[in-house]
Amino acid sequence: MPLDRDQKAILVAAAAALGGFAIGRLTASQKKSPSSSSSSSSSSSSSSSSSSSSIGLRLARPNISTLLPYRCARDDYEDGILLDANENSLGPVLSDGQRNDLELERYPSPYQIPLKELFSGIRGCVPSQVFVGVGSDEAIDMLFRIFCVPSLDNVITTPPTYGMYKVCAAVNDVAVKEVPLTEGFELRVDAMLAAVDARTKIIWVCSPGNPTAKCVSVSDVRRLASEFDGIVVLDEAYVDFAAGGSMACLVDEFDNVVVLQTLSKAFGLAGIRCGFAIGHPSVVQLMNNVKAPYNLNSLTSEKAIDALRNMPKLRRNVEAILGERERVRKELEARDFVVRVRDSDSNFLLFQMTGGAKECYQMMADKFLVVTRYRGTEIHCEECIRVTIGKREENDAFLKALDGAHGRLKGEVAL
C-alpha cells in the first residue's frame, strides 16, 4: 500500500532533521500542563502543527531521525499479478488438505491496517497512534534503539519491575538508573525526577506492575509526563485485569507518553506474540521506520483480529480469573505460614511466607510439578512467591502443593 501524504511528510521532515538531544527535567517555566499538552496533541493530527508533530524527531537519535526506511514490495502494490517480491507463486509446502486461505506464499502487509483499526477502536485511539509488533518486547527494544545513544544515554526504571527493561538496556549499551518503588509499591516521583539528567531519555513505568501486581497512580504518570522532557513509557501488559482500566488516553494529553499493551495476558494469546505501542504519530512513524519490513506474520494477524472481535469472551474470561484470584487469595491468607498477600490488579498474586520461600518454590516444582515463580531476590519481595491464577483445578493443585512442600520442609510430612 502506498504511503499516504502525512506519512510522506513525516519522512521528508525526518530526512531534513538535524537532531537536538540534550533533554532532561523541565524547568518550572517549561513544564507542560495537561491542558496544553492535550491541545498540542490534538493539533498534531494537522500538518500545521510544528513542535508537537515533531516530538519523535526532536527526541530521537540523529541517525534515526534522518533514516529513510527500507521500502518493500507491498509499499507500492498489493493487488494484481504480483511478480515483484520473489515469492513462490506455487504456494506453500504444506500437507495435502491444508487450507491456504491466508495466501502464505505472500508477504504480509507491512502496515497491518485492519488490525490497527480494530485495536484503536477498542482502545479509544486512532490507527496513526498505533504500532503493532512482536509482543511488547519488540516495542521495548525499539524504543531503546530509537531514543538512546549507546554508551551515552540512560533510562530510569522502578524496581521491582519487568526484567526486560534492564536486559534491553544492556543489549543497547544504555545505563540504567534505578529508583525503587516504596515498600507499598508506589512510584517515588520526586526521586525519579531528581535522578533525571541531560542524558536521560526514557522513564519506564509498569502498571499493573510485575511482580508487584499493582497499578500506579494516573496523577503520578501525569506529573512525570509534564515535568520530564523525554519519553515516559507506561507498560500495560496486564491492564485488562485492572478495575481502573487503561491510561491510553494520556497519549492525547501528552505527546511524550507511549503506552504498551499485549495480547499475551488477558487475551490468552501468548503463543502468537502480538503487542501494541500507542503513542504520538511521530513516535509511531519512527517505530515503523525502524522495524523489520514484515515484522508481524499473517497467522498472528489473523488470530489477533479474531480475538479483538470477541471482546465479550475476553470479559467473561477476565471475570472468571478475577473470581479465582479472590478465592486463592482467601486460601493463602488462611495459612499461618503466609505473612501477607499483596493487593492485585492483575492475574497473579504475590505472597510473602514466614520463611523458606525459595525451597518451597523449588519443591513444588520438583516434587509436585506445580511451577510458580520465586521473587525473593527483588527489593521489597523478601520470601515472596508469585503465582499465576490458573483454572480452578490448577489453583487447587497449587494450594495442595504449597501445603505439601511447606509441610515437608518443616518435617511435618514424611518425605
Side-chain angles (χ1 to χ4, degrees):
M1 186 179 79
L3 294 175
D4 61 30
R5 183 169 57 186
D6 290 339
Q7 290 171 322
K8 289 179 179 177
I10 290 175
L11 289 181
V12 170
L18 296 176
F21 310 95
I23 52 178
R25 187 174 179 179
L26 296 174
T27 63
S29 62
Q30 294 172 317
K31 290 179 182 179
K32 296 177 286 183
S33 68
S35 58
S36 63
S37 296
S38 178
S39 173
S40 174
S41 178
S42 62
S43 65
S44 69
S45 60
S46 169
S47 59
S48 63
S49 176
S50 56
S51 61
S52 179
S53 65
S54 63
I55 181 72
L57 301 178
R58 181 173 64 83
L59 299 180
R61 294 163 54 188
N63 61 306
I64 300 298
S65 294
T66 57
L67 174 69
L68 292 179
Y70 175 80
R71 191 164 182 79
C72 63
R74 297 290 80 81
D75 280 324
D76 297 316
Y77 300 99
E78 289 186 336
D79 302 312
I81 298 175
L82 301 176
L83 302 176
D84 57 345
N86 299 333
E87 300 154 328
N88 185 344
S89 297
L90 299 183
V93 181
L94 298 173
S95 301
D96 292 340
Q98 288 269 11
R99 298 175 60 180
N100 187 29
D101 298 340
L102 296 179
E103 295 186 321
L104 296 178
E105 70 275 15
R106 301 298 180 188
Y107 286 112
S109 167
Y111 303 111
Q112 300 294 331
I113 299 300
L115 177 55
K116 289 180 180 179
E117 289 177 342
L118 190 56
F119 176 81
S120 62
I122 292 170
R123 295 310 194 195
C125 52
V126 296
S128 63
Q129 294 175 310
V130 178
F131 169 81
V132 185
V134 183
S136 299
D137 293 336
E138 182 182 16
I140 292 171
D141 181 65
M142 193 170 293
L143 290 169
F144 271 101
R145 288 189 283 139
I146 290 172
F147 294 108
C148 298
V149 178
S151 299
L152 288 178
D153 290 336
N154 65 76
V155 301
I156 291 175
T157 65
T158 58
T161 191
Y162 184 40
M164 279 304 295
Y165 311 142
K166 199 169 186 177
V167 171
C168 286
V171 169
N172 290 282
D173 195 15
V174 174
V176 176
K177 293 185 175 184
E178 295 185 340
V179 182
L181 300 172
T182 67
E183 197 277 336
F185 295 152
E186 302 282 351
L187 293 176
R188 296 165 53 224
V189 178
D190 287 338
M192 293 170 71
L193 292 172
V196 169
D197 62 33
R199 302 305 314 192
T200 304
K201 295 301 179 69
I202 303 176
I203 292 177
W204 296 93
V205 177
C206 196
S207 180
N210 178 14
T212 69
K214 183 175 182 176
C215 286
V216 301
S217 164
V218 63
S219 62
D220 285 347
V221 178
R222 281 196 170 102
R223 185 180 168 202
L224 289 172
S226 65
E227 297 188 29
F228 174 55
D229 190 28
I231 300 296
V232 177
V233 181
L234 187 62
D235 191 342
E236 291 189 335
Y238 300 92
V239 72
D240 292 295
F241 299 104
S246 174
M247 295 189 221
C249 60
L250 294 181
V251 169
D252 290 327
E253 294 185 35
F254 301 98
D255 55 13
N256 61 335
V257 170
V258 176
V259 176
L260 304 183
Q261 295 186 359
T262 180
L263 299 186
S264 295
K265 306 302 180 181
F267 284 89
L269 288 171
I272 72 169
R273 308 305 299 125
C274 183
F276 304 89
I278 308 170
H280 189 272
S282 68
V283 174
V284 170
Q285 184 62 54
L286 288 176
M287 298 179 77
N288 285 326
N289 292 354
V290 171
K291 78 175 183 67
Y294 310 106
N295 62 325
L296 202 73
N297 68 73
S298 299
L299 299 171
T300 290
S301 181
E302 180 193 43
K303 295 301 180 184
I305 289 173
D306 185 64
L308 292 171
R309 287 174 175 164
N310 280 281
M311 296 302 289
K313 185 173 183 179
L314 169 75
R315 288 187 281 270
R316 289 195 300 271
N317 286 352
V318 167
E319 184 178 355
I321 289 170
L322 296 184
E324 275 296 288
R325 187 186 70 189
E326 291 311 301
R327 183 178 74 88
V328 174
R329 166 192 289 281
K330 291 177 181 178
E331 289 280 358
L332 288 172
E333 290 175 337
R335 283 156 170 79
D336 59 7
F337 57 85
V338 173
V339 177
R340 69 170 165 177
V341 183
R342 294 278 194 166
D343 291 337
S344 177
D345 296 308
S346 191
N347 68 330
F348 60 86
L349 291 170
L350 183 72
F351 65 96
Q352 183 180 28
M353 298 179 62
T354 54
K358 185 175 183 179
E359 294 78 10
C360 195
Y361 144 77
Q362 289 174 329
M363 184 171 288
M364 282 194 291
D366 295 339
K367 300 296 184 182
F368 296 91
L369 303 181
V370 174
V371 182
T372 56
R373 195 75 180 267
Y374 175 65
R375 288 301 194 184
T377 60
E378 301 185 55
I379 188 170
H380 307 317
C381 296
E382 294 79 7
E383 297 294 342
C384 282
I385 291 176
R386 189 195 73 189
V387 59
T388 305
I389 302 302
K391 302 173 185 175
R392 185 179 183 90
E393 59 269 24
E394 292 174 326
N395 299 329
D396 289 340
F398 154 69
L399 293 167
K400 183 177 180 180
L402 179 64
D403 290 338
H406 181 264
R408 289 190 180 191
L409 290 170
K410 294 299 181 181
E412 299 169 1
V413 178
L415 296 175

